[in-house]
Amino acid sequence: MNKIIFTLVILATQWLSAQNVSLTVNVSGFKTNDGKLKVGLYNNEGTFLKETYLSLDSKISDLKATVFFKDLPKGEYAISLYHDENNSGVLEKGMFGIPKEPFACSNNAKGKMGPPKYIDAKFTLDSNKEIVIELGR
């Protein structure tokens, strides 16, 4: 009986992991290789730009950077990212909360009189996907 249960658990685990997908994010548009790229992945509108679902960082080489999210459940996501030019770990902001460091969101979502909206940055991840984001200021 224990062997049957163990086998079923292994099969279920393999089946569930087969349902997960990966996301590759390629970023270009850096002005310098200094600092690092910080990427936040969000999975719902309520936490967008507040609390990441997952976050990664990457060094910059040849004015480009890539991050790779693996084993993600299929679903809806959005990305925000910025070039942490001074390695402070936070997005530097100036007057009125306007970012001083280059930043971008998926779908090239831009804010109007405020930050970009989730609805403009969201995308569906239902298979392995690669997206390209051009960094802006």
Side-chain angles (χ1 to χ4, degrees):
M1 183 66 166
N2 285 343
K3 287 183 181 181
I4 293 172
I5 293 172
F6 179 73
T7 302
L8 289 175
V9 168
I10 295 296
L11 290 173
T13 302
Q14 290 176 343
W15 182 80
L16 287 173
S17 67
Q19 301 301 309
N20 290 341
V21 294
S22 63
L23 174 65
T24 303
V25 182
N26 293 309
V27 183
S28 60
F30 293 94
K31 305 279 190 261
T32 176
N33 290 323
D34 296 336
K36 64 180 144 186
L37 172 68
K38 305 284 278 181
V39 180
L41 182 68
Y42 304 86
N43 63 353
N44 71 67
E45 186 172 8
T47 61
F48 185 59
L49 301 179
K50 296 175 188 131
E51 183 180 330
T52 59
Y53 170 66
L54 291 172
S55 61
L56 295 173
D57 58 50
S58 174
K59 68 180 194 169
I60 302 157
S61 180
D62 297 325
L63 305 179
K64 297 177 185 173
T66 299
V67 296
F68 183 70
F69 293 95
K70 61 181 184 174
D71 294 328
L72 295 172
K74 294 177 182 179
E76 188 177 87
Y77 295 93
I79 290 175
S80 73
L81 54 84
Y82 70 96
H83 180 185
D84 187 7
E85 296 173 317
N86 60 1
N87 280 315
S88 68
V90 296
L91 176 61
E92 305 295 330
K93 296 179 182 177
M95 291 180 67
F96 309 110
I98 298 171
K100 291 178 159 184
E101 295 176 303
F103 67 95
C105 288
S106 43
N107 299 331
N108 293 317
K110 306 277 186 226
K112 294 178 182 139
M113 301 301 289
K117 306 286 185 229
Y118 181 79
I119 193 165
D120 297 325
K122 72 178 180 174
F123 57 91
T124 301
L125 188 61
D126 53 11
S127 63
N128 294 340
K129 188 176 216 165
E130 182 174 335
I131 62 174
V132 176
I133 298 178
E134 179 74 21
L135 197 59
R137 195 167 279 276

